[in-house]
Amino acid sequence: MAMKNVGNSNTFEQTLERRLSRREFGRTSLIAGLTPLALSLNCAGVERKKDSLLAASGRPGRWFESVEPGIDDKLHVPNGYEAQVLLSWGDPLFDAAENFDAHKQTEQAQLRQFGNNCDFVGYLPIEGSEHGLLCVNHEFNWASMMFPGYEAQGGVRDAITEEHARIEMAALGHSVVEIRKVNGLWTIIKGQRNRRISLLETKIEFSGPVMGHKRLRTTQFPDGMRSRGTMANCSGGVTPWGTVLFCEENFADFFEVKHGAAEEKLAYERYAIDTPATFGQFRFDSRFRVDDEPRAPNHYGWVVEYDPYDPQSVPKKRTALGRACREAATVAVSGSGQVAVYSGDDDYFEYLYKFVSKDKYDPNAKAANADLLDEGILYAAKFNDDGTARWIPLIHGLNGLDKSNGFDSQADVLIEARRAADTVGATKMDRPEDVEANPKTGKVYVMLTKNGRRKASMVDAANPFEDNRYGHVLEISPPEDKDGRVDHAAPEFKWEVLIAGGPVSRKASLGAYHADTLSKDAFACPDNCTFDNQGRLWIATDGIQGALNSADGIFVCGTSEEERNLVQRFLRVPSGAEACGPCFTPDAKTLFVSIQHPGFGKGCTFNNPGTRWPDFSPDVPPRPSVIAVVRSDGGEIGG
Ligand code: FEO
Ligand code: CA
Ligand code: CA
């Protein structure tokens, strides 16, 4: 029986509650006293500790002086670091683009400006680590935080104007921005390399096994070969051949359905299309009215690949990777040269997936890799209690993926990857978010953000925590091939719990912190992550406020034998925000971080936000932004 997704609802308060309960951040008052050390402002709304190099316990931090826990309206980085607000929602990306005015925003202006609620960040070099393209996702909007005038409205979904609904679609998607480091400061270059991809108008093609399938045929695209726009762009990945992958996560929020098509009913149910839309675009745009366009939901939920170095390149939805509420797509090249793409499907009791390409990556010919992700095998993970696991192939005709279960072809398997994974008995996980491979060891790490719905009777070895409110991280060890190289293409792996979130002092038989971790460095709700060149895991969190009463941030977690599970808080975000998309430049001297939805929370509006970071101007609402963190002495981040 397919497990239903998170429930939707149709009033403003209910839908806000839904997003809040999913993310579990609430409106915060400013709690003075939780940041007791002297502070100095070094950039817009960025604070760092100025005095002692000793942490509160009197012991120095292992890698830097940890940022204190707390909740306030500033961004905090350790002593000896600087954070620059680099790109904010509304920043013009082209010479001809208009300057941002939140009170007079237009669709045309937004299409030439940085989008809203930044998430994934990828740095693609033009010249090394000081000149490159920053590739950024824009995940979602909340109209009452984006426009003035919705404060008194009962339901934004039903009150939003068509003009605002279109501006929202223009603000979603993805941005490519050329940046250069000049005299230690990153600058934006408004020019021809920049690009906006949006939900409003960007032309996108399907590729792979589902391309042209009847279940992709709509009024606008009767041949099922193309689509329009992208949304819910959460995290993503960068390929070794210099393209970017970005994912479509909570696409169900846009679709309104009463009846739809009977043959799509199971798919609607499994992707939560059978509940009222959260957002109001369906009132003006027929592609989101499922009764008018019963197959339109099948256009979303894919991994999209595009070439950021070519502003004219047409993004492609890589259907061979399957359709899910994708958090991220992380590429790892196996010793054989085959490419694996790991990804999590971020919802309660959803699955961990891996795609393995049929052909091999060619490091000497970018064009030869252009369609590498169109042919291969998609797998879902089945964890065994003894620390072994298998990748179960989702192939039509195998393991019950046949007509008897409603799968007529491989296209059906990929369009309904969730139901396919149900059918083969994959392991239901605690909301799998980002997945990253350690460059030092090839081991793969899975962020399981939390799952308060897991009852004692539902616990298994890979999801061992009842009422898992803090989340945990799994460490996957792919086998070695006959030449001793990490085999990301292998059908089996070993695994263990790396670390569990929550108080440092908790009694833990599994995933305990390193003994040197300070109590103030407790983390929870791992979401996006990245590795530094030393093999330390940098974890962005989303939801600590509900779990540990501190704003979210970035935590560093050792994975080596000596420093395994030693955790330090590196960065703390302004109230209401989550940290996303941590990304290092190749020289490890800059860390880019997305600060998503600052000032957001229950009761917060455009005129009454939880913070006005980073502008702190009474006329400007909080603006989601990408920051660039550097060490004041120009050294590598994290020492
Ligand atoms: Fe968009 Fe799973 O966070
Ligand atoms: Ca998240
Ligand atoms: Ca995320």
Side-chain angles (χ1 to χ4, degrees):
M1 178 70 187
M3 180 165 299
K4 218 166 165 179
N5 211 320
V6 270
N8 267 330
S9 47
N10 63 358
T11 68
F12 172 77
E13 284 304 322
Q14 284 172 315
T15 49
L16 181 57
E17 279 297 339
R18 176 177 159 249
R19 284 205 80 95
L20 291 175
S21 66
R22 192 167 179 280
R23 294 178 176 276
E24 290 178 15
F25 51 76
R27 184 170 188 201
T28 57
S29 56
L30 305 185
I31 300 177
L34 284 178
T35 49
L37 300 181
L39 301 167
S40 72
L41 199 66
N42 68 347
C43 280
V46 180
E47 291 186 341
R48 61 188 169 89
K49 287 180 289 211
K50 204 179 177 184
D51 54 2
S52 169
L53 278 171
L54 298 183
S57 68
R59 283 186 294 174
R62 177 76 64 109
W63 305 305
F64 45 81
E65 181 187 357
S66 296
V67 165
E68 300 288 322
I71 304 170
D72 64 22
D73 63 353
K74 304 292 193 301
L75 182 93
H76 298 264
V77 294
N79 187 38
Y81 286 82
E82 313 279 340
Q84 174 191 355
V85 177
L86 179 61
L87 274 164
S88 297
W89 165 46
D91 282 352
L93 302 184
F94 304 89
D95 283 333
E98 296 171 43
N99 287 326
F100 180 63
D101 183 341
H103 295 265
K104 296 178 183 170
Q105 182 65 316
T106 67
E107 171 188 326
Q108 285 309 312
Q110 181 64 79
L111 284 171
R112 301 173 71 78
Q113 296 169 339
F114 194 62
N116 201 3
N117 278 320
C118 40
D119 198 298
F120 169 78
V121 179
Y123 175 87
L124 282 93
I126 295 171
E127 298 169 290
S129 293
E130 300 198 349
H131 182 201
L133 298 174
L134 212 58
C135 302
V136 183
N137 273 352
H138 303 292
E139 186 178 13
F140 84 106
N141 300 295
W142 199 254
S144 58
M145 291 293 290
M146 196 174 178
F147 308 109
Y150 287 106
E151 287 84 347
Q153 307 288 354
V156 166
R157 150 201 146 103
D158 298 318
I160 193 170
T161 66
E162 181 172 8
E163 180 189 15
H164 286 169
R166 290 182 63 84
I167 294 170
E168 284 193 1
M169 289 194 280
L172 294 173
H174 191 86
S175 292
V176 181
V177 189
E178 184 180 359
I179 58 171
R180 189 191 286 273
K181 204 175 186 183
V182 179
N183 297 327
L185 273 185
W186 285 97
T187 56
I188 298 163
I189 299 170
K190 296 182 197 172
Q192 297 307 309
R193 286 183 157 125
N194 293 352
R195 180 174 190 180
R196 275 302 321 280
I197 292 169
S198 79
L199 176 58
L200 198 55
E201 58 182 23
T202 303
K203 176 183 162 189
I204 296 193
E205 293 177 351
F206 287 105
S207 71
V210 189
M211 176 180 69
H213 191 271
K214 62 185 178 185
R215 294 181 70 181
L216 295 181
R217 294 177 191 164
T218 63
T219 303
Q220 189 181 2
F221 301 108
D223 61 2
M225 299 292 284
R226 289 179 296 128
S227 189
R228 182 181 142 214
T230 180
M231 93 283 257
N233 307 105
C234 193
S235 194
V238 174
T239 69
W241 52 95
T243 62
V244 169
L245 306 176
F246 61 79
C247 303
E248 298 176 325
E249 193 189 30
N250 297 311
F251 59 93
D253 288 341
F254 288 83
F255 289 97
E256 181 79 355
V257 59
K258 288 191 177 67
H259 306 294
E263 65 271 23
E264 294 288 343
K265 191 172 179 303
L266 289 177
Y268 296 155
E269 180 182 300
R270 200 59 185 76
Y271 292 90
I273 306 294
D274 58 346
T275 51
T278 301
F279 303 123
Q281 276 71 18
F282 74 92
R283 292 171 44 230
F284 315 106
D285 193 329
S286 62
R287 68 182 149 152
F288 304 123
R289 293 195 292 271
V290 181
D291 286 3
D292 293 338
E293 292 289 355
R295 292 177 290 278
N298 296 340
H299 277 222
Y300 302 95
W302 302 103
V303 176
V304 188
E305 181 177 12
Y306 79 99
D307 181 354
Y309 294 103
D310 175 6
Q312 305 305 318
S313 63
V314 177
K316 292 185 176 178
K317 298 198 171 186
R318 298 292 186 189
T319 63
L321 277 63
R323 178 166 164 262
C325 294
R326 274 289 181 19
E327 172 73 19
T330 297
V331 178
V333 181
S334 67
S336 68
Q338 284 174 286
V339 166
V341 183
Y342 293 95
S343 66
D345 179 349
D346 176 17
D347 217 328
Y348 299 91
F349 305 106
E350 290 300 343
Y351 303 110
L352 180 68
Y353 295 93
K354 179 178 79 165
F355 167 86
V356 177
S357 67
K358 172 174 167 283
D359 293 326
K360 295 177 180 177
Y361 163 59
D362 181 347
N364 300 312
K366 179 174 179 175
N369 306 303
D371 294 317
L372 204 51
L373 303 186
D374 278 345
E375 210 174 344
I377 298 175
L378 178 67
Y379 300 85
K382 168 76 176 172
F383 292 82
N384 303 315
D385 286 354
D386 64 358
T388 63
R390 266 191 318 127
W391 291 107
I392 308 178
L394 304 181
I395 297 175
H396 183 250
L398 296 182
N399 302 313
L401 300 177
D402 52 30
K403 278 189 195 301
S404 68
N405 285 307
F407 299 102
D408 286 351
S409 67
Q410 184 63 16
D412 288 339
V413 170
L414 295 169
I415 290 170
E416 297 184 69
R418 281 182 162 182
R419 209 165 61 76
D422 295 340
T423 303
V424 304
T427 301
K428 297 177 185 300
M429 311 299 289
D430 285 348
R431 288 188 55 192
E433 299 252 25
D434 207 350
V435 184
E436 284 291 338
N438 186 335
K440 298 279 276 190
T441 65
K443 292 185 178 183
V444 175
Y445 295 78
V446 183
M447 306 301 110
L448 296 162
T449 198
K450 64 184 169 188
N451 185 356
R453 301 179 188 180
R454 189 172 290 275
K455 307 272 189 288
S457 61
M458 304 159 86
V459 159
D460 59 44
N463 300 277
F465 305 108
E466 178 187 356
D467 183 21
N468 185 9
R469 67 185 66 186
Y470 301 123
H472 62 292
V473 178
L474 291 186
E475 180 182 67
I476 285 176
S477 299
E480 292 183 348
D481 64 17
K482 60 181 172 35
D483 298 317
R485 303 169 301 188
V486 177
D487 188 1
H488 290 289
E492 72 282 339
F493 60 92
K494 293 183 176 171
W495 64 274
E496 60 183 278
V497 173
L498 173 75
I499 189 166
V504 173
S505 59
R506 78 192 191 289
K507 287 194 167 44
S509 55
L510 266 177
Y513 288 90
H514 187 287
D516 288 349
T517 303
L518 304 176
S519 59
K520 66 178 185 174
D521 284 330
F523 86 106
C525 307
D527 189 338
N528 297 159
C529 62
T530 193
F531 273 92
D532 62 24
N533 296 333
Q534 300 178 42
R536 293 174 301 192
L537 179 62
W538 293 63
I539 301 171
T541 68
D542 176 14
I544 283 192
Q545 193 166 323
L548 294 170
N549 196 31
S550 177
D552 279 300
I554 302 277
F555 294 79
V556 190
C557 178
T559 63
S560 67
E561 193 173 336
E562 184 198 341
E563 295 181 331
R564 192 172 175 84
N565 291 355
L566 179 61
V567 174
Q568 285 195 253
R569 179 186 273 102
F570 178 77
L571 181 148
R572 202 178 87 212
V573 300
S575 59
E578 69 172 280
C580 302
C583 168
F584 287 101
T585 48
D587 66 2
K589 292 183 175 177
T590 298
L591 175 68
F592 299 105
V593 181
S594 277
I595 309 299
Q596 193 182 130
H597 53 72
F600 190 78
K602 197 171 181 180
C604 293
T605 63
F606 182 95
N607 287 320
N608 184 32
T611 172
R612 291 189 184 275
W613 185 91
D615 302 280
F616 293 106
S617 165
D619 288 337
V620 182
R623 293 201 293 160
S625 303
V626 174
I627 60 165
V629 183
V630 298
R631 238 170 72 175
S632 307
D633 65 4
E636 289 188 14
I637 305 282

